[in-house]
Amino acid sequence: MNPLESATPAEQVITIRSYLTPGDERTLADDVLDGLTRPFKELPPKHFYDAVGAELFDRITELPEYYPTRAERSILVAESARIAQATRAAEVVELGAGTAEKTRVLLSALAAAGTLRRYMPVDVTEGMVVRVADELTSAFDGLEVHGIVGDFERHLQHVPPPDDGPRIVAFLGGTIGNFTPGSRRRFLRALARLLRPGIDHLLLGTDLVKDPRILEAAYDDSKGITAAFNRNVLTVLNRELGADFDVDAFEHVAFFDREHEWIEMRLRASRRMSVHIAALGLDVEFAPREELRTEISAKFTPERLADDLAAAGLNLEQVLTDDAGLFALSLSTPAG
């Protein structure tokens, strides 16, 4: 497939390339067929984020219980100048860029240091990539934006090679915690292949192990917004695959698994039911109180972080935390 490409004719500073194909629309169906026919049912969390899910998540980030977004932003505000000095980065590749709201703090620091030349957002929503490209080229004189519309798990090979100067690959928000341990290390190895030893850096956001009461409150807020966010994935299945889930018949569950040191979000059936998924010709049975896992979110200790990075061939250089020690940003570089 030839990628879609667009550029501003006057300055030629924006390029948008899409690597999503009609076959990518099967991802949801394939994940549902795989996940709901397992003995322990589960779905990957990437299907939370339709338009309603994205709006609900934005509301979650503003809740007093949900600390990760505020904590990560506070680190960027406090430490971006130091990161800019340590990396001298000319370009930033951001995976799952979204609105790039937090990343603008880092881009401003790099621009102030006189090194910033290119920003490469990777996101599945083309409209968001286009919007961010327009906003950032207006905000930063001479900035080149090379947007990639695609899934960061499947389209990393389309990230262009580094331009002249050091690169930062940014993976923020603690999203790395959504991977199981083996998958997490494989993905980190893939990220390491985008970096040059001694020149480029991975900037990784990780949520830290802490009092389980703080963790569980962040994923089960008193206003029920996280519960609505969790149940919305069933609405997605009803709309996109012709399923007939009774959304209100599922209870939101969130708990900290102390053995694995991760949060799990699940949906618990309140009664016995049979769900028909028309697009798959599939009937799925739920027993009373049977649970469907919709997300894991691993929490990190410094030792786990260093071990995961080392297993991926990355040397941990710095760990930066907020004042309360809730969240961490780390800088690492490929081993020579």
Side-chain angles (χ1 to χ4, degrees):
M1 173 188 177
N2 292 324
L4 298 174
E5 184 170 353
S6 63
T8 55
E11 298 181 355
Q12 298 292 310
V13 293
I14 296 177
T15 301
I16 307 294
R17 292 188 174 183
S18 176
Y19 296 97
L20 296 178
T21 69
D24 292 317
E25 297 174 1
R26 289 292 304 168
T27 301
L28 173 62
D30 292 342
D31 288 344
V32 170
L33 181 61
D34 176 53
L36 297 192
T37 56
R38 296 180 182 182
F40 177 65
K41 298 178 178 69
E42 60 183 324
L43 289 172
K46 62 184 177 182
H47 299 303
F48 281 135
Y49 298 97
D50 67 341
V52 173
E55 189 273 333
L56 285 168
F57 185 73
D58 285 344
R59 291 173 61 191
I60 289 169
T61 64
E62 298 170 357
L63 293 168
E65 298 100 325
Y66 193 80
Y67 61 85
T69 302
R70 290 189 301 276
E72 186 175 45
R73 180 177 174 81
S74 74
I75 301 169
L76 286 166
V77 169
E79 303 289 357
S80 280
R82 184 191 302 186
I83 294 170
Q85 182 178 19
T87 63
R88 305 298 298 171
E91 64 181 36
V92 175
V93 179
E94 184 174 13
L95 309 181
T99 63
E101 189 269 333
K102 288 177 293 189
T103 315
R104 296 173 201 226
V105 179
L106 176 61
L107 297 179
S108 295
L110 293 169
T115 63
L116 180 66
R117 290 199 298 272
R118 182 163 69 162
Y119 174 63
M120 287 183 277
V122 181
D123 200 276
V124 294
T125 305
E126 184 168 357
M128 185 67 72
V129 174
V130 171
R131 172 186 151 193
V132 165
D134 288 339
E135 290 176 354
L136 292 181
T137 51
S138 297
F140 298 98
D141 290 339
L143 179 67
E144 175 189 350
V145 175
H146 184 113
I148 296 170
V149 182
D151 183 336
F152 58 68
E153 291 187 63
R154 294 181 294 118
H155 298 123
L156 282 182
Q157 72 271 24
H158 298 298
V159 175
D163 204 348
D164 294 334
R167 158 184 284 184
I168 288 174
V169 172
F171 193 36
L172 304 179
T175 307
I176 191 65
N178 294 147
F179 292 82
T180 57
S183 297
R184 182 165 67 236
R185 293 183 174 195
R186 284 193 296 273
F187 185 67
L188 288 171
R189 283 194 288 271
L191 296 187
R193 290 194 285 271
L194 299 176
L195 305 169
R196 297 162 295 178
I199 301 173
D200 302 330
H201 287 83
L202 172 65
L203 179 66
L204 184 66
T206 48
D207 198 3
L208 300 176
V209 172
K210 59 186 68 67
D211 186 333
R213 291 171 296 181
I214 296 174
L215 288 166
E216 290 177 352
Y219 290 82
D220 191 11
D221 64 277
S222 58
K223 293 184 177 180
I225 298 174
T226 311
F229 173 73
N230 195 9
R231 281 193 289 265
N232 182 64
V233 75
L234 302 181
T235 303
V236 172
L237 270 54
N238 287 348
R239 181 183 66 242
E240 300 297 329
L241 300 179
D244 59 0
F245 281 95
D246 180 353
V247 176
D248 293 333
F250 285 83
E251 175 189 356
H252 168 66
V253 177
F255 65 93
F256 182 61
D257 182 323
R258 287 163 171 77
E259 178 183 356
H260 295 101
E261 294 186 313
W262 64 41
I263 282 280
E264 286 202 19
M265 288 209 314
R266 299 181 180 184
L267 292 167
R268 178 184 294 151
S270 62
R271 55 178 170 81
R272 185 178 302 278
M273 66 187 82
S274 178
V275 177
H276 181 66
I277 303 174
L280 300 175
L282 178 68
D283 291 305
V284 180
E285 304 297 324
F286 284 86
R289 300 189 63 78
E290 183 178 355
E291 294 179 343
L292 161 64
R293 185 166 70 185
T294 54
E295 181 178 22
I296 66 165
S297 183
K299 309 308 172 186
F300 290 79
T301 61
E303 295 77 19
R304 171 179 287 177
L305 175 60
D307 287 348
D308 280 352
L309 292 170
L314 291 158
N315 289 334
L316 178 60
E317 292 188 343
Q318 293 187 53
V319 178
L320 308 168
T321 66
D322 60 291
D323 290 342
L326 300 173
F327 200 91
L329 285 177
S330 61
L331 276 176
S332 56
T333 192

